[in-house]
Amino acid sequence: MVLLRRRSTTKNTNDRAVRAGEAAAAAAHASAPPRAPGEDGLPPRIGAAFFDLDNTVMRGASIFHLARGLYARRFFGARDIARFGWQQARFRLGGEHMGHVGDAQEAALSFARGHTVEEIRVIGEEIFDECMADKIWPGTRGLAQMHLDAGRQVWLVTAAPIEIATTIAGRLGLTGALGTVSETRDGVYTGRLVGELLHGEAKAEAVRALADREGLDLTDCSAYSDSANDIPMLTLVGDPCAVNPDARLRRHARAYGWRVKDYRTGRKAARIGLPAAAGVGAVAGALVAGTAVRRRVPGRI
């Protein structure tokens, strides 16, 4: 009985990952620029590059920057942002324990329920310009530009909401983004996800689904991430690369001969064995900074 229950849970988890990936790919494909057809009348199969966002393209976690901005705009209170930040850190640092995933999903959805897609999109643009733009890693941005200059598509792949992810990709001049898709009704968020957060296996499903839609040859694609949670995505492509890797991804990359790039300075790159402290610090920093800013300029960052 226990074995059957475990198998059922695993199947449900996989089903949610597939749904999340397909929804993200459909949204990304719909917003992607059209490609000119080849001699056979069909778009030629091309290579692409896929970039994780948090700690790969951007220093820190985009969701914390988003939470700070929403807190400053009075979307929720101090207790909410503390709970939200802790659940996100526990989810990211503790792996895919289903109880933690459920908590993270609930927290991730709470800020958008009842708000319109257009409202969140506009606020996301403001928050990026105000507190995300200066946190982009120059080295990783250079890698993305190298792929763009070579005529390849470049996609962000992140658990951040698709509206925020698309804004960031647009600001960086990338092709587009794969992100977590939330259910909407008449342009208003219902508070439910389509599938699950775009994390772990769901990211791999999204990349696979987008490759089918866009005619991408995954053996001629690259992928970049800092986290061992993204090994499923990295394994899909012919050219995986660990960027600012955590300890487990660094070991995996070395074992399989993957490229490793580290843009962190000083001894920071060596202190990858203390992720929990970094996560708690990020939560505390987001809360303190958000409180200070809100007191200084009500309603704005």
Side-chain angles (χ1 to χ4, degrees):
M1 181 67 69
V2 173
L3 179 59
L4 290 176
R5 187 177 297 115
R6 286 177 179 171
R7 286 177 177 173
S8 176
T9 300
T10 300
K11 181 180 185 302
N12 290 339
T13 301
N14 290 341
D15 289 345
R16 289 195 297 270
V18 170
R19 286 186 61 211
E22 290 180 345
H29 177 72
S31 62
R35 292 191 288 121
E39 295 181 357
D40 58 359
L42 299 174
R45 294 185 68 82
I46 61 172
F50 300 95
F51 285 82
D52 169 57
L53 178 58
D54 295 349
N55 293 318
T56 303
V57 171
M58 177 186 295
R59 292 192 300 276
S62 57
I63 199 69
F64 291 127
H65 303 314
L66 176 62
R68 284 178 57 196
L70 293 174
Y71 174 69
R73 289 162 173 81
R74 304 179 186 275
F75 270 62
F76 42 69
R79 179 177 297 180
D80 296 319
I81 196 173
R83 176 177 63 90
F84 175 65
W86 171 248
Q87 288 173 340
Q88 286 292 330
R90 183 175 61 171
F91 172 56
R92 183 170 178 80
L93 300 173
E96 297 183 15
H97 184 282
M98 290 311 299
H100 295 177
V101 171
D103 289 344
Q105 288 176 339
E106 180 182 356
L109 291 171
S110 62
F111 76 86
R113 185 182 296 115
H115 293 279
T116 68
V117 173
E118 180 63 15
E119 182 182 7
I120 297 299
R121 185 192 65 77
V122 171
I123 289 174
E125 291 180 349
E126 293 176 356
I127 292 173
F128 176 82
D129 293 337
E130 293 165 357
C131 59
M132 294 185 187
D134 64 347
K135 293 175 176 61
I136 302 300
W137 289 105
T140 313
R141 187 167 188 175
L143 288 174
Q145 189 60 50
M146 176 189 70
H147 287 287
L148 290 170
D149 291 344
R152 298 160 70 87
Q153 293 185 353
V154 177
W155 298 88
L156 286 183
V157 189
T158 173
I162 184 65
E163 294 80 11
I164 306 301
T166 300
T167 290
I168 295 172
R171 288 291 198 268
L172 298 179
L174 309 183
T175 307
L178 295 158
T180 297
V181 178
S182 295
E183 181 185 271
T184 61
R185 185 172 300 164
D186 298 326
V188 177
Y189 291 105
T190 66
R192 291 186 292 270
L193 290 177
V194 178
E196 63 182 18
L197 292 172
L198 202 71
H199 177 270
E201 187 60 43
K203 281 190 179 182
E205 293 292 347
V207 168
R208 189 180 291 113
L210 184 67
D212 289 341
R213 288 175 176 270
E214 289 287 310
L216 304 176
D217 180 359
L218 287 175
T219 64
D220 189 32
C221 288
S222 303
Y224 301 85
S225 178
D226 72 298
S227 173
N229 290 324
D230 287 339
I231 287 175
M233 176 181 76
L234 293 165
T235 303
L236 279 181
V237 301
D239 177 37
C241 180
V243 176
N244 305 329
D246 62 27
R248 189 155 67 95
L249 180 58
R250 186 181 292 272
R251 288 194 300 269
H252 190 94
R254 286 175 175 170
Y256 286 87
W258 293 357
R259 291 186 295 137
V260 176
K261 292 184 178 294
D262 206 318
Y263 299 117
R264 294 167 294 191
T265 58
R267 298 296 298 172
K268 184 177 181 181
R271 293 197 296 269
I272 54 179
L274 301 173
V280 172
V283 175
L287 177 58
V288 172
T291 302
V293 168
R294 187 174 178 181
R295 287 175 178 170
R296 184 170 65 249
V297 184
R300 297 289 295 177
I301 283 185

